[in-house]
Amino acid sequence: QVQLVESGGGLVQAGGSLRLSCVASGNILRVNTMGWYRQAPGKQRELVADITSGGSTYYADSVKGRFTISRDNAENTVYLQMNSLKPEDTAVYYCNADVEYSGAEFDYWGQGTQVTVSS
């Protein structure tokens, strides 16, 4: 069993910053791609950014230049530094990880953390 635990969400004014963290723990052989998704009320969940174990990154166009994803492979942790936040960034942010164990790869989700940006 694998758990993803997120932290760092909260309420911030437009233009402010937040840093999200997500730690994977449990029966883990290797953590491959880790990422952050978000879901705003009435909208579909969307990929915000992800990062491979080798450090290759992807960003949604809406966050390029403002958000930075990073990871600590030794700690199975992924971070999302969010700067210049906008009200449209308000959403529940979910951590996602592709985890290898028992000879197979499984997809896991965190419980979500609320990010609210006030105008």
Side-chain angles (χ1 to χ4, degrees):
Q1 187 71 319
V2 174
Q3 298 82 38
L4 300 183
V5 178
E6 300 133 335
S7 60
L11 172 64
V12 65
Q13 288 188 330
S17 299
L18 285 174
R19 189 190 194 211
L20 305 182
S21 300
C22 172
V23 181
S25 63
N27 190 7
I28 297 172
L29 173 62
R30 183 180 299 109
V31 182
N32 294 322
T33 299
M34 302 185 80
W36 291 94
Y37 288 71
R38 66 186 180 187
Q39 188 166 19
K43 294 188 177 182
Q44 289 189 327
R45 191 173 296 190
E46 63 175 354
L47 175 62
V48 175
D50 67 21
I51 183 168
T52 67
S53 57
S56 296
T57 58
Y58 163 85
Y59 294 95
D61 287 343
S62 59
V63 306
K64 282 181 181 177
R66 300 188 297 121
F67 291 9
T68 302
I69 191 169
S70 60
R71 65 187 286 171
D72 182 336
N73 288 333
E75 299 295 330
N76 292 328
T77 300
V78 64
Y79 305 97
L80 186 67
Q81 178 66 43
M82 304 185 293
N83 298 329
S84 302
L85 283 161
K86 304 175 181 179
E88 51 264 44
D89 294 317
T90 296
V92 178
Y93 284 70
Y94 296 91
C95 176
N96 175 266
D98 296 326
V99 178
E100 283 186 44
Y101 72 91
S102 300
E105 186 175 83
F106 301 87
D107 187 54
Y108 287 94
W109 293 89
Q111 79 284 359
T113 185
Q114 177 70 46
V115 171
T116 303
V117 185
S118 63
S119 57

